[in-house]
Amino acid sequence: MEAYQLTESRETRQISKSELIQWLTAEGELQQALFEQARQVRRVHGADAVVLRGVIEISNYCQKNCDYCAMRAVNKNLDRYRLLPERILEIASQIKEANIPIIFLQSGQDPQCDSILEEVIPELKKQFDLSVLLCLGEKPREVYQKFAQLGADSYILKFETSAPEVYRQIAHTPLLRRLQCIRSLQELGYRVGTGNIVGLPNQTLDTLAEDILLALEIQPDFVSSSPFIPNQDTPFEKLDFGDLNLTLNTMAIYRILFPSALIPSVSALEKIQKGGQLMGLNAGANVLTINFTPSKCREKYAIYSKQRFVVSLDHALGTIEQAGLKIANTFSPHPSVAVPI
Ligand code: 5AD
C-alpha cells in the first residue's frame, strides 16, 4: 500500500473504499507507519501545536432519543439541568483565566437553550474575546444564523454514521436532515466540525470507509472519531465498547486527508484505555477539551456514561508533554483546505 502523496490533486487520485479499509484495519508495523505518516502530515502543515478548548455542558435536556445516549428524551432516570447565563459567564471567566482561547458550549438538543445563548454569546465576545464553539444539535437555520450574527465562530455536528438506515435505526431521525444542518452551518460561515462514532450496531468496515468518504465530501474544518461507549439506561447499555484501534486508525486517516484540520483526541479514548488520549495525539490528533462543567452537573451530563473520564487541565497538560507536543499559543484558525488526495 503506498502512502498518500500530498502533492497529488483529487482529480488525479481518488481514494478507494478498499484502500480505506486496508488502512482502517492496519495492525502492527503497518499501523505504526500510518500513525507516523499522520504525525508527519500534521508537522508539515504546521498543525502540531495542541489546541485547548474549555467545554461547559450547559443543558442535558434533549429532544432526541438516540439509542447510545442516556440524555435521550425518554430516559426518566436522569436528573435534568440547564445552566443560567450568569453561571455560564462565571465559568467562562475561569476558561479565560486559564488562558484557553476557545469556549465550547455543548448541550442536548434543547430549544430552551436558545434564548440563554442569545444572551451569552455576545457577552463571551465582549467580556472575554473568546472563540465560541457550539455543539447543540439540529436546529432551524434561523437559529444557527442568529448565533452566527451574535458572534459564534464554529459548530460541531457529527453525522455519527454515513449509513442512512443505520443512522435512522439509532437516532430515529433522518440522516439527511442532519446533513442539511451541516450544509446550512457551512453556508452561514461557521467553521464546522463533524465525524463519526466507531462501534455502532450494524456498522461494517464498508460503512466506516464510507464515513471517511462522507467527511471528504463535507470538507469540514474539524473532524473527529470517537469509540462507542455503552451507556447506562440506554437500549445499547449491554453492547461492547467500540474498537480502540479502528478509532485510532480512523483518526490517522482523517489527519492524512485533512492535514491542517483540528482533530480532537476525545475523552472516550481515555475511558476505554488509560493513556488513550495520548494514543490519539500519537495518531495525529491536535485538540484536547478540558471540562469546566460544574461538578454537580457533570455526572448528569451522561454523554458517554456516568463514569465517563472527565478531562482536567493537569491531565491535558501531562498528555501533551508525554506526546512531545506544545500547546498552541493563540488560536489562529486553520484554513479549511483539505489537501487533495
Ligand atoms: N459513545 C460514543 N460517542 C458518543 N457520543 C455521544 N454519546 C456517545 C457514546 N455513548 C458522541 C457523538 C455526539 C458527540 C457529542 O458525542 O458523536 O455527536
Side-chain angles (χ1 to χ4, degrees):
M1 217 173 352
E2 65 189 288
Y4 300 121
Q5 293 305 306
L6 298 176
T7 50
E8 279 180 357
S9 78
R10 215 167 159 193
E11 287 78 53
T12 57
R13 172 130 194 227
Q14 291 288 335
I15 189 158
S16 69
K17 226 194 278 183
S18 62
E19 201 174 354
L20 282 172
I21 290 174
Q22 275 181 290
W23 285 112
L24 279 170
T25 51
E27 291 177 350
E29 277 178 22
L30 189 60
Q31 187 184 39
Q32 289 315 312
L34 174 67
F35 293 167
E36 174 53 41
Q37 201 191 338
R39 290 193 297 270
Q40 195 195 331
V41 167
R42 188 179 61 189
R43 215 168 24 245
V44 168
H45 286 80
D48 247 353
V50 177
V51 173
L52 296 181
R53 48 194 199 192
V55 68
I56 313 176
E57 290 142 343
I58 61 174
S59 160
N60 68 352
Y61 286 89
C62 192
Q63 294 174 310
K64 289 192 75 170
N65 270 305
C66 301
D67 289 349
Y68 54 79
C69 184
M71 297 195 298
R72 58 208 309 273
V74 297
N75 182 8
K76 298 286 175 262
N77 290 336
L78 190 67
D79 270 350
R80 304 282 171 167
Y81 73 91
R82 190 178 292 116
L83 297 182
L84 294 170
E86 302 74 55
R87 188 78 184 103
I88 298 171
L89 292 172
E90 244 172 61
I91 306 169
S93 77
Q94 295 167 19
I95 292 175
K96 183 71 185 175
E97 269 166 39
N99 220 4
I100 295 173
I102 305 170
I103 186 164
F104 179 10
L105 300 177
Q106 201 178 44
S107 75
Q109 196 166 297
D110 176 14
Q112 295 208 48
C113 276
D114 295 355
S115 57
I116 294 175
L117 287 156
E118 285 181 25
E119 207 175 317
V120 162
I121 294 169
E123 293 302 315
L124 294 173
K125 303 304 286 187
K126 200 168 82 190
Q127 292 185 37
F128 307 114
D129 192 28
L130 288 164
S131 178
V132 176
L133 165 64
L134 306 174
C135 180
L136 314 165
E138 297 159 31
K139 290 185 179 282
R141 188 185 168 99
E142 307 76 65
V143 176
Y144 290 149
Q145 186 166 23
K146 180 85 192 174
F147 293 161
Q149 282 163 352
L150 293 173
D153 302 271
S154 20
Y155 202 105
I156 295 178
L157 191 63
K158 293 177 69 178
F159 54 75
E160 322 293 8
T161 171
S162 59
E165 62 293 354
V166 176
Y167 186 85
R168 188 179 259 295
Q169 273 166 17
I170 289 170
H172 313 288
T173 56
L175 179 62
L176 188 62
R177 186 193 300 166
R178 205 159 174 88
L179 296 178
Q180 280 163 347
C181 286
I182 293 174
R183 186 60 70 217
S184 293
L185 289 160
Q186 288 180 314
E187 285 167 2
L188 291 164
Y190 281 92
R191 272 178 283 130
V192 170
T194 192
N196 64 343
I197 299 179
V198 170
L200 297 170
N202 299 320
Q203 251 179 347
T204 60
L205 282 173
D206 206 72
T207 67
L208 286 171
E210 281 179 5
D211 291 354
I212 295 168
L213 294 174
L214 176 58
L216 273 172
E217 240 175 81
I218 294 173
Q219 290 287 306
D221 304 278
F222 357 118
V223 59
S224 80
S225 189
S226 50
F228 165 70
I229 307 283
N231 207 329
Q232 303 98 313
D233 302 322
T234 69
F236 288 175
E237 68 182 322
K238 298 254 162 15
L239 299 186
D240 288 335
F241 284 87
D243 187 87
L244 179 62
N245 284 309
L246 262 180
T247 312
L248 293 170
N249 291 355
T250 306
M251 292 167 66
I253 295 168
Y254 280 150
R255 167 57 63 208
I256 293 163
L257 298 177
F258 302 101
S260 55
L262 293 177
I263 300 183
S265 185
V266 298
S267 64
L269 293 169
E270 197 73 32
K271 165 83 189 167
I272 285 198
Q273 184 167 321
K274 194 170 177 334
Q277 283 186 297
L278 176 61
M279 295 166 99
L281 291 184
N282 288 337
N286 62 350
V287 179
L288 289 175
T289 302
I290 294 149
N291 196 298
F292 281 84
T293 306
S295 47
K296 272 191 208 135
C297 303
R298 271 181 207 163
E299 70 181 49
K300 297 178 187 158
Y301 200 82
I303 181 176
Y304 291 137
S305 75
K306 278 187 192 148
Q307 292 82 33
R308 72 189 164 127
F309 185 82
V310 175
V311 180
S312 65
L313 187 55
D314 280 355
H315 169 79
L317 299 181
T319 304
I320 293 168
E321 199 185 322
Q322 285 175 63
L325 297 173
K326 293 203 162 40
I327 302 174
N329 267 340
T330 47
F331 175 66
S332 53
H334 298 294
S336 64
V337 258
V339 163
I341 48 165

